[in-house]
Amino acid sequence: EIVLTQSPATLSLSPGERATLSCRASQNVNNYLAWYQQKPGQPPRLLIYDASNRATGIPARFSGSGSGTDFTLTISSLEPEDFAVYYCQQRSNLWTFGQGTKVEIK
Amino acid sequence: QVQLVQSGAEVKKPGASVKVSCKASGYTFTGYYIHWLRQAPGQGPEWMGWINSNSGGTSYAQKFQGRVTLTRGTSINTAYMDLSRLTSDDTAVYYCARYTGNYYAFDIWGQGTLVTVSS
């Protein structure tokens, strides 16, 4: 099983700041990595697929990068609605998710 | 609009089974696979298996082999997840999700169904 390790566990930032979230895979997943946003009581929402492609309707402040084992989700300037938990997910070998990074208001 | 609507919360005793439904609307049901995932409190989602909504073919995560059964009813655009021999470790929110070939990702999710296993 491919294990995805996300860091940090919690990120405390203010609106308008830049958020940088990391996801490391236990083995090469090529670019088969997606990012999701989840708010309390809601299902995950697809943001990024194949490492760097925004899903339909996702604002340009969200961007993804990386390949192989190291990936990054960047939110260029945090809006109030961006404070949530973010998960990475790989599809190289079945499907697994990371444990999440919580972006909270500082 | 495109959506998946799941059945309501369930409370089950250890050893029992649970069946969760997932009704699709706003798109061609047989054109997409439906996956099932679950999420325990404070954890990331965990993949359980998928069903080909057209053929009915299935694939299950090894962890759930022999305990989970995925089925569908094409005339009513509904997928089902049946999990047997429940234990307290199965307490979680269960989701169905559409898997799209456009993104090879889960683009539409059901609202989730809380299954609580307690004696």
Side-chain angles (χ1 to χ4, degrees):
Chain A
E1 175 181 312
I2 296 177
V3 176
L4 299 178
T5 302
Q6 292 187 241
S7 62
T10 304
L11 201 49
S12 298
L13 295 168
S14 300
E17 290 194 292
R18 182 184 189 89
T20 303
L21 289 67
S22 176
C23 177
R24 175 164 289 179
S26 61
Q27 61 191 80
N28 182 9
V29 298
N30 297 297
N31 69 330
Y32 299 148
L33 190 106
W35 290 93
Y36 297 81
Q37 176 193 69
Q38 187 175 32
K39 297 179 180 179
Q42 296 183 18
R45 172 195 179 199
L46 177 66
L47 299 175
I48 301 287
Y49 65 96
D50 287 349
S52 61
N53 299 288
R54 277 189 302 277
T56 301
I58 301 304
R61 64 181 181 274
F62 292 92
S63 64
S65 63
S67 66
T69 60
D70 290 299
F71 300 86
T72 300
L73 174 70
T74 301
I75 310 171
S76 59
S77 177
L78 283 164
E79 296 288 338
E81 62 268 27
D82 299 336
F83 292 92
V85 179
Y86 292 83
Y87 294 100
C88 56
Q89 170 250 313
Q90 65 81 26
R91 64 175 179 91
S92 176
N93 182 4
L94 300 179
W95 295 268
T96 56
F97 289 76
Q99 288 303 297
T101 290
K102 181 180 183 180
V103 178
E104 65 176 22
I105 300 176
K106 186 175 182 180
Chain B
Q1 75 276 25
V2 177
Q3 61 180 353
L4 298 171
V5 178
Q6 298 182 220
S7 49
E10 302 264 12
V11 179
K12 296 291 182 181
K13 293 195 181 301
S17 297
V18 68
K19 190 168 187 174
V20 179
S21 67
C22 170
K23 184 171 178 60
S25 61
Y27 73 96
T28 302
F29 177 69
T30 52
Y32 297 82
Y33 285 43
I34 291 290
H35 290 237
W36 288 86
L37 308 97
R38 73 180 188 181
Q39 187 172 30
Q43 297 189 21
E46 177 180 29
W47 179 74
M48 300 179 67
W50 57 251
I51 183 165
N52 179 329
S53 303
N54 186 35
S55 69
T58 56
S59 178
Y60 303 125
Q62 189 167 10
K63 175 177 179 176
F64 300 102
Q65 286 274 3
R67 274 209 311 141
V68 69
T69 304
L70 303 182
T71 56
R72 93 282 187 231
T74 53
S75 63
I76 54 172
N77 294 344
T78 301
Y80 303 92
M81 187 280 298
D82 200 319
L83 186 64
S84 63
R85 303 194 301 277
L86 293 168
T87 73
S88 57
D89 289 341
D90 294 316
T91 294
V93 176
Y94 289 75
Y95 292 103
C96 60
R98 189 180 81 164
Y99 195 72
T100 173
N102 289 339
Y103 303 147
Y104 292 100
F106 306 111
D107 68 335
I108 303 294
W109 294 64
Q111 83 276 19
T113 297
L114 176 61
V115 175
T116 303
V117 183
S118 174
S119 55

